[in-house]
Protein backbone atom coordinates (compact mmCIF):
# COMPACT_ATOMS: atom_id res chain seq x y z
CA UNK A 1 0.00 0.00 0.00
CA UNK A 2 1.32 3.43 -0.91
CA UNK A 3 1.98 5.50 2.19
CA UNK A 4 0.70 8.94 1.67
CA UNK A 5 2.29 10.92 4.48
CA UNK A 6 1.04 14.47 4.94
CA UNK A 7 3.84 17.03 4.97
CA UNK A 8 2.84 19.07 8.00
CA UNK A 9 3.29 16.25 10.51
CA UNK A 10 5.72 16.57 13.41
CA UNK A 11 7.84 13.76 14.77
CA UNK A 12 6.14 11.47 17.29
CA UNK A 13 8.45 12.82 20.00
CA UNK A 14 7.42 16.40 19.24
CA UNK A 15 3.75 15.50 19.75
CA UNK A 16 4.54 13.57 22.91
CA UNK A 17 6.66 16.37 24.43
CA UNK A 18 4.15 19.03 23.41
CA UNK A 19 1.19 17.19 24.92
CA UNK A 20 3.04 16.37 28.14
CA UNK A 21 4.05 20.00 28.57
CA UNK A 22 0.42 21.09 28.20
CA UNK A 23 0.93 22.90 24.90
CA UNK A 24 -2.60 23.46 23.58
CA UNK A 25 -1.61 23.89 19.96
CA UNK A 26 0.28 20.61 19.96
CA UNK A 27 -2.58 18.95 21.86
CA UNK A 28 -4.96 19.99 19.09
CA UNK A 29 -2.59 18.72 16.44
CA UNK A 30 -2.17 15.42 18.29
CA UNK A 31 -5.96 15.03 18.45
CA UNK A 32 -6.08 15.63 14.70
CA UNK A 33 -3.68 12.69 14.29
CA UNK A 34 -5.86 10.50 16.51
CA UNK A 35 -8.92 11.47 14.45
CA UNK A 36 -7.25 10.89 11.11
CA UNK A 37 -8.08 7.88 8.95
CA UNK A 38 -4.77 7.90 7.09
CA UNK A 39 -2.71 4.76 7.67
CA UNK A 40 0.46 6.74 8.42
CA UNK A 41 -1.44 8.82 11.00
CA UNK A 42 -2.90 5.72 12.61
CA UNK A 43 0.60 4.39 13.23
CA UNK A 44 1.73 7.77 14.56
CA UNK A 45 -1.34 7.96 16.83
CA UNK A 46 -0.56 4.55 18.34
CA UNK A 47 2.99 5.66 19.17
CA UNK A 48 1.79 8.90 20.75
CA UNK A 49 -0.97 7.27 22.81
CA UNK A 50 1.31 4.51 24.03
CA UNK A 51 3.89 7.07 25.13
CA UNK A 52 1.49 9.32 27.03
CA UNK A 53 -0.56 6.51 28.58
CA UNK A 54 1.14 6.55 31.97
CA UNK A 55 0.54 10.32 32.22
CA UNK A 56 -3.19 9.90 31.53
CA UNK A 57 -6.02 8.76 33.76
CA UNK A 58 -5.65 11.35 36.52
CA UNK A 59 -8.95 13.06 35.93
CA UNK A 60 -12.63 12.91 36.70
CA UNK A 61 -14.42 11.89 33.53
CA UNK A 62 -17.98 13.12 33.39
CA UNK A 63 -20.51 12.24 30.70
CA UNK A 64 -23.28 14.72 30.04
CA UNK A 65 -26.37 13.98 28.01
CA UNK A 66 -29.91 15.19 27.39
CA UNK A 67 -32.13 15.90 24.43
CA UNK A 68 -31.21 18.76 22.08
CA UNK A 69 -32.42 22.01 23.59
CA UNK A 70 -32.28 20.80 27.20
CA UNK A 71 -29.45 23.27 27.79
CA UNK A 72 -26.31 21.14 27.63
CA UNK A 73 -23.95 23.70 26.18
CA UNK A 74 -25.25 26.46 28.44
CA UNK A 75 -24.87 24.15 31.41
CA UNK A 76 -21.36 23.09 30.41
CA UNK A 77 -20.41 26.72 30.10
CA UNK A 78 -21.66 27.54 33.62
CA UNK A 79 -20.35 24.30 35.11
CA UNK A 80 -16.98 24.62 33.36
CA UNK A 81 -16.54 28.17 34.62
CA UNK A 82 -17.37 27.05 38.14
CA UNK A 83 -14.78 24.28 37.97
CA UNK A 84 -12.14 26.63 36.62
CA UNK A 85 -12.80 29.07 39.46
CA UNK A 86 -12.05 26.17 41.79
CA UNK A 87 -8.65 25.77 40.13
CA UNK A 88 -9.41 22.93 37.75
CA UNK A 89 -8.44 22.55 34.12
CA UNK A 90 -11.40 21.40 32.09
CA UNK A 91 -11.47 19.71 28.70
CA UNK A 92 -14.75 19.42 26.84
CA UNK A 93 -15.13 16.74 24.20
CA UNK A 94 -18.21 15.47 22.47
CA UNK A 95 -19.54 12.42 20.71
CA UNK A 96 -21.84 13.06 17.84
CA UNK A 97 -21.82 10.23 15.30
CA UNK A 98 -23.77 12.37 12.84
CA UNK A 99 -21.05 15.00 12.90
CA UNK A 100 -19.44 16.00 9.62
CA UNK A 101 -17.22 18.81 10.74
CA UNK A 102 -17.22 20.62 7.43
CA UNK A 103 -21.01 20.70 7.42
CA UNK A 104 -21.10 22.16 10.94
CA UNK A 105 -22.90 19.80 13.27
CA UNK A 106 -24.77 20.96 16.35
CA UNK A 107 -21.88 20.06 18.61
CA UNK A 108 -19.30 21.48 16.25
CA UNK A 109 -20.94 24.87 16.17
CA UNK A 110 -18.23 27.35 17.07
CA UNK A 111 -20.60 29.82 18.69
CA UNK A 112 -21.39 27.39 21.48
CA UNK A 113 -19.63 27.90 24.82
CA UNK A 114 -18.05 31.08 23.61
CA UNK A 115 -17.18 32.50 27.03
CA UNK A 116 -15.66 29.25 28.20
CA UNK A 117 -13.58 28.82 25.08
CA UNK A 118 -11.67 32.02 25.78
CA UNK A 119 -10.46 30.77 29.17
CA UNK A 120 -6.90 29.49 29.40
CA UNK A 121 -7.95 26.56 31.61
CA UNK A 122 -10.63 25.32 29.24
CA UNK A 123 -10.07 23.24 26.16
CA UNK A 124 -13.00 22.59 23.82
CA UNK A 125 -12.94 20.17 20.95
CA UNK A 126 -15.97 19.37 18.79
CA UNK A 127 -16.87 15.81 17.94
CA UNK A 128 -14.70 13.75 15.65
CA UNK A 129 -16.43 12.73 12.49
CA UNK A 130 -16.62 9.17 11.32
CA UNK A 131 -18.72 6.54 9.69
CA UNK A 132 -19.51 4.48 12.75
CA UNK A 133 -20.32 5.31 16.34
CA UNK A 134 -17.59 2.88 17.42
CA UNK A 135 -15.03 4.75 15.34
CA UNK A 136 -16.08 8.17 16.66
CA UNK A 137 -16.16 6.89 20.25
CA UNK A 138 -12.65 5.44 19.95
CA UNK A 139 -11.31 8.74 18.68
CA UNK A 140 -12.98 10.61 21.54
CA UNK A 141 -11.63 8.16 24.11
CA UNK A 142 -8.08 8.61 22.78
CA UNK A 143 -8.51 12.39 22.68
CA UNK A 144 -9.54 12.16 26.33
CA UNK A 145 -6.25 10.43 27.19
CA UNK A 146 -4.33 13.16 25.38
CA UNK A 147 -6.20 15.88 27.30
CA UNK A 148 -5.43 14.16 30.58
CA UNK A 149 -1.77 13.86 29.69
CA UNK A 150 -1.82 17.59 28.89
CA UNK A 151 -2.94 18.31 32.46
CA UNK A 152 -6.74 18.61 32.21
CA UNK A 153 -8.08 17.11 35.42
CA UNK A 154 -11.76 17.23 34.54
CA UNK A 155 -13.04 15.88 31.25
CA UNK A 156 -16.61 16.61 30.23
CA UNK A 157 -17.90 14.46 27.41
CA UNK A 158 -21.09 15.70 25.90
CA UNK A 159 -23.36 13.70 23.67
CA UNK A 160 -26.24 14.77 21.49
CA UNK A 161 -28.72 12.73 23.45
CA UNK A 162 -30.18 10.79 20.58
CA UNK A 163 -29.65 7.10 19.97
CA UNK A 164 -26.72 5.01 21.04
CA UNK A 165 -24.09 7.63 21.76
CA UNK A 166 -25.08 7.78 25.44
CA UNK A 167 -23.97 4.20 25.91
CA UNK A 168 -20.63 5.00 24.32
CA UNK A 169 -20.13 8.00 26.61
CA UNK A 170 -21.22 6.02 29.65
CA UNK A 171 -18.65 3.40 28.67
CA UNK A 172 -15.77 5.85 28.89
CA UNK A 173 -16.70 8.06 31.84
CA UNK A 174 -16.70 7.77 35.64
CA UNK A 175 -19.90 9.70 36.23
CA UNK A 176 -22.95 10.08 34.03
CA UNK A 177 -25.15 13.13 34.26
CA UNK A 178 -28.50 13.38 32.57
CA UNK A 179 -30.06 16.77 31.99
CA UNK A 180 -33.84 16.88 31.77
CA UNK A 181 -36.65 19.38 31.56
CA UNK A 182 -39.72 19.58 33.70
CA UNK A 183 -42.62 18.70 31.42
CA UNK A 184 -46.31 19.31 31.85
CA UNK A 185 -47.09 16.28 33.98
CA UNK A 186 -45.51 13.77 31.63
CA UNK A 187 -42.01 13.98 33.04
CA UNK A 188 -41.27 10.30 32.71
CA UNK A 189 -42.27 9.90 29.10
CA UNK A 190 -39.63 11.43 26.89
CA UNK A 191 -36.54 9.70 28.11
CA UNK A 192 -35.67 6.06 27.68
CA UNK A 193 -35.55 4.05 30.86
CA UNK A 194 -32.19 2.56 29.88
CA UNK A 195 -30.59 5.99 29.84
CA UNK A 196 -32.09 6.89 33.19
CA UNK A 197 -30.70 3.69 34.63
CA UNK A 198 -27.19 4.68 33.53
CA UNK A 199 -27.41 8.08 35.18
CA UNK A 200 -25.57 8.83 38.44
CA UNK A 201 -27.37 12.13 38.56
CA UNK A 202 -30.53 13.60 37.05
CA UNK A 203 -30.61 17.36 36.77
CA UNK A 204 -33.92 19.06 36.11
CA UNK A 205 -32.56 21.96 34.13
CA UNK A 206 -33.82 25.50 33.49
CA UNK A 207 -35.24 25.63 37.02
CA UNK A 208 -35.70 29.39 36.98
CA UNK A 209 -38.51 31.92 36.68
CA UNK A 210 -41.89 30.35 36.05
CA UNK A 211 -40.23 26.97 35.85
CA UNK A 212 -39.12 26.75 39.49
CA UNK A 213 -42.27 25.11 40.88
CA UNK A 214 -42.66 22.73 37.97
CA UNK A 215 -39.03 21.71 38.31
CA UNK A 216 -39.34 21.01 42.03
CA UNK A 217 -42.34 18.81 41.31
CA UNK A 218 -40.53 16.98 38.52
CA UNK A 219 -37.56 16.50 40.85
CA UNK A 220 -39.79 14.76 43.40
CA UNK A 221 -41.40 12.59 40.72
CA UNK A 222 -38.03 11.42 39.42
CA UNK A 223 -36.84 10.71 42.96
CA UNK A 224 -39.85 8.45 43.43
CA UNK A 225 -39.32 6.82 40.04
CA UNK A 226 -35.67 6.03 40.77
CA UNK A 227 -36.66 4.02 43.87
CA UNK A 228 -37.90 1.22 41.66
CA UNK A 229 -34.65 1.00 39.71
CA UNK A 230 -32.19 -1.75 40.61
CA UNK A 231 -29.34 -0.72 42.92
CA UNK A 232 -26.18 0.24 41.10
CA UNK A 233 -22.90 -1.70 41.46
CA UNK A 234 -21.20 1.52 42.49
CA UNK A 235 -23.03 1.66 45.83
CA UNK A 236 -24.09 5.19 44.88
CA UNK A 237 -27.69 6.30 45.07
CA UNK A 238 -28.39 8.50 42.04
CA UNK A 239 -29.02 12.11 42.95
CA UNK A 240 -31.94 14.06 41.53
CA UNK A 241 -31.64 17.81 41.67
CA UNK A 242 -32.61 21.04 39.95
CA UNK A 243 -30.35 23.63 38.34
CA UNK A 244 -30.35 26.73 36.24
CA UNK A 245 -27.39 27.84 34.19
CA UNK A 246 -29.04 31.20 33.59
CA UNK A 247 -29.23 32.08 37.28
CA UNK A 248 -26.25 29.90 38.19
CA UNK A 249 -28.31 27.96 40.72
CA UNK A 250 -27.47 24.43 41.77
CA UNK A 251 -24.21 24.30 39.83
CA UNK A 252 -21.97 24.06 42.90
CA UNK A 253 -24.20 21.39 44.46
CA UNK A 254 -23.73 19.28 41.33
CA UNK A 255 -19.97 19.43 41.66
CA UNK A 256 -20.20 18.65 45.38
CA UNK A 257 -22.22 15.52 44.61
CA UNK A 258 -19.70 14.43 41.98
CA UNK A 259 -16.90 14.89 44.51
CA UNK A 260 -18.83 12.74 46.99
CA UNK A 261 -19.32 10.12 44.31
CA UNK A 262 -15.61 10.03 43.64
CA UNK A 263 -14.82 9.67 47.32
CA UNK A 264 -17.35 6.89 47.86
CA UNK A 265 -16.34 4.89 44.79
CA UNK A 266 -12.63 5.35 45.43
CA UNK A 267 -13.10 4.04 48.96
CA UNK A 268 -15.22 1.06 47.97
CA UNK A 269 -13.00 0.15 45.01
CA UNK A 270 -15.66 0.70 42.33
CA UNK A 271 -13.93 3.67 40.70
CA UNK A 272 -10.85 1.73 39.67
CA UNK A 273 -12.75 -1.48 38.98
CA UNK A 274 -15.10 0.38 36.62
CA UNK A 275 -12.18 1.94 34.77
CA UNK A 276 -10.48 -1.44 34.46
CA UNK A 277 -13.64 -2.96 33.02
CA UNK A 278 -13.99 -0.04 30.61
CA UNK A 279 -10.44 -0.59 29.38
CA UNK A 280 -11.06 -4.28 28.83
CA UNK A 281 -14.31 -3.57 26.97
CA UNK A 282 -12.45 -0.99 24.90
CA UNK A 283 -10.02 -3.66 23.77
CA UNK A 284 -12.79 -6.08 22.81
CA UNK A 285 -14.81 -3.38 21.06
CA UNK A 286 -11.73 -2.43 19.06
CA UNK A 287 -11.11 -6.05 18.11
CA UNK A 288 -14.74 -6.42 17.05
CA UNK A 289 -14.64 -3.25 14.98
CA UNK A 290 -11.36 -4.12 13.30
CA UNK A 291 -12.49 -7.64 12.54
CA UNK A 292 -15.65 -6.34 10.93
CA UNK A 293 -13.59 -3.88 8.97
CA UNK A 294 -11.25 -6.66 7.78
CA UNK A 295 -14.16 -8.88 6.87
CA UNK A 296 -16.42 -6.41 5.14
CA UNK A 297 -13.85 -3.86 4.06
CA UNK A 298 -12.47 -5.54 0.94
CA UNK A 299 -14.01 -5.22 -2.48
CA UNK A 300 -13.98 -8.90 -3.36
CA UNK A 301 -15.75 -9.84 -0.12
CA UNK A 302 -18.41 -7.24 -0.87
CA UNK A 303 -18.90 -8.68 -4.35
CA UNK A 304 -19.20 -12.21 -3.03
CA UNK A 305 -21.70 -11.07 -0.43
CA UNK A 306 -23.88 -9.40 -3.05
CA UNK A 307 -23.81 -12.60 -5.08
CA UNK A 308 -24.77 -14.64 -2.04
CA UNK A 309 -27.64 -12.31 -1.22
CA UNK A 310 -29.15 -13.09 -4.62
CA UNK A 311 -28.64 -16.82 -4.15
CA UNK A 312 -30.32 -16.65 -0.76
CA UNK A 313 -33.38 -14.81 -2.02
CA UNK A 314 -33.74 -17.26 -4.92
CA UNK A 315 -33.42 -20.18 -2.47
CA UNK A 316 -30.24 -21.47 -4.12
CA UNK A 317 -28.31 -21.48 -0.86
CA UNK A 318 -29.27 -21.57 2.80
CA UNK A 319 -28.28 -18.42 4.75
CA UNK A 320 -26.22 -20.40 7.25
CA UNK A 321 -24.33 -22.20 4.47
CA UNK A 322 -23.66 -18.88 2.76
CA UNK A 323 -22.31 -17.45 6.01
CA UNK A 324 -20.07 -20.47 6.59
CA UNK A 325 -18.73 -20.31 3.04
CA UNK A 326 -17.86 -16.66 3.53
CA UNK A 327 -16.06 -17.36 6.81
CA UNK A 328 -14.09 -20.16 5.12
CA UNK A 329 -13.14 -17.84 2.26
CA UNK A 330 -12.09 -15.20 4.80
CA UNK A 331 -9.94 -17.67 6.75
CA UNK A 332 -8.21 -18.81 3.57
CA UNK A 333 -7.05 -15.26 2.92
CA UNK A 334 -4.99 -15.40 6.10
CA UNK A 335 -3.62 -18.92 5.82
P1 LIG B 1 -28.39 22.07 24.04
O1 LIG B 1 -28.97 21.88 22.69
O2 LIG B 1 -28.81 20.97 24.97
O3 LIG B 1 -26.90 22.28 24.05
O4 LIG B 1 -29.06 23.40 24.64
P2 LIG B 1 -28.53 24.91 24.71
O5 LIG B 1 -27.53 25.06 25.80
O6 LIG B 1 -28.15 25.35 23.36
O7 LIG B 1 -29.83 25.67 25.21
C1 LIG B 1 -31.05 25.66 24.49
C2 LIG B 1 -31.86 26.90 24.85
O8 LIG B 1 -32.21 26.87 26.22
C3 LIG B 1 -31.11 28.19 24.62
O9 LIG B 1 -32.00 29.13 24.09
C4 LIG B 1 -30.66 28.60 26.02
O10 LIG B 1 -30.54 30.00 26.17
C5 LIG B 1 -31.79 28.07 26.88
N1 LIG B 1 -31.29 27.72 28.23
C6 LIG B 1 -30.20 26.99 28.51
N2 LIG B 1 -30.04 26.87 29.84
C7 LIG B 1 -31.05 27.54 30.43
C8 LIG B 1 -31.44 27.77 31.79
O11 LIG B 1 -30.81 27.35 32.76
N3 LIG B 1 -32.59 28.51 31.98
C9 LIG B 1 -33.32 28.99 30.95
N4 LIG B 1 -34.41 29.68 31.25
N5 LIG B 1 -32.98 28.79 29.66
C10 LIG B 1 -31.86 28.08 29.39
Amino acid sequence: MAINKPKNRLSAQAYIDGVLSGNRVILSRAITIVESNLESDKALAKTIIQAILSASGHSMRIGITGVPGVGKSTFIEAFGKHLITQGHKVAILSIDPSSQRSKGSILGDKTRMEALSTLESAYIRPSASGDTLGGVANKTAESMLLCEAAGYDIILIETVGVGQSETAVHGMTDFFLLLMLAGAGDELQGIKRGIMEMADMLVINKADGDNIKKSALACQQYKNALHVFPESDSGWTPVVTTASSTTNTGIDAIWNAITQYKQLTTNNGYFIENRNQQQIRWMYNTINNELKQLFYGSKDMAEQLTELEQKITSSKIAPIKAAQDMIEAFKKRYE
Side-chain angles (χ1 to χ4, degrees), residues 66-75 106 112 158 205-208 243-247:
V67 294
V70 73
K72 289 183 296 300
S73 58
T74 316
F75 170 77
I106 352 175
R112 298 172 91 236
E158 177 191 19
N205 202 24
K206 305 193 192 181
D208 46 53
S244 162
S245 314
T246 312
T247 59

Side-chain angles (χ1 to χ4, degrees), residues 123-138:
Y123 179 79
I124 304 179
R125 178 87 177 189
S127 179
S129 56
D131 296 334
T132 64
L133 171 61
V136 173
N138 260 341

Side-chain angles (χ1 to χ4, degrees), residues 239-298:
V239 170
V240 188
T241 187
T242 58
S244 162
S245 314
T246 312
T247 59
N248 224 8
T249 315
I251 305 290
D252 51 346
I254 291 173
W255 176 238
N256 288 343
I258 295 174
T259 311
Q260 281 167 20
Y261 174 91
K262 178 147 194 204
Q263 203 159 35
L264 174 89
T265 55
T266 302
N267 290 343
N268 70 15
Y270 179 82
F271 191 86
I272 192 69
E273 176 59 23
N274 184 45
R275 280 210 176 173
N276 288 341
Q277 291 305 322
Q278 287 178 339
Q279 303 270 70
I280 289 167
R281 273 201 305 274
W282 191 2
M283 177 184 76
Y284 283 111
N285 287 341
T286 308
I287 292 175
N288 292 345
N289 288 340
E290 301 257 330
L291 274 180
K292 267 194 196 161
Q293 188 60 32
L294 274 180
F295 189 91
Y296 292 107
S298 81

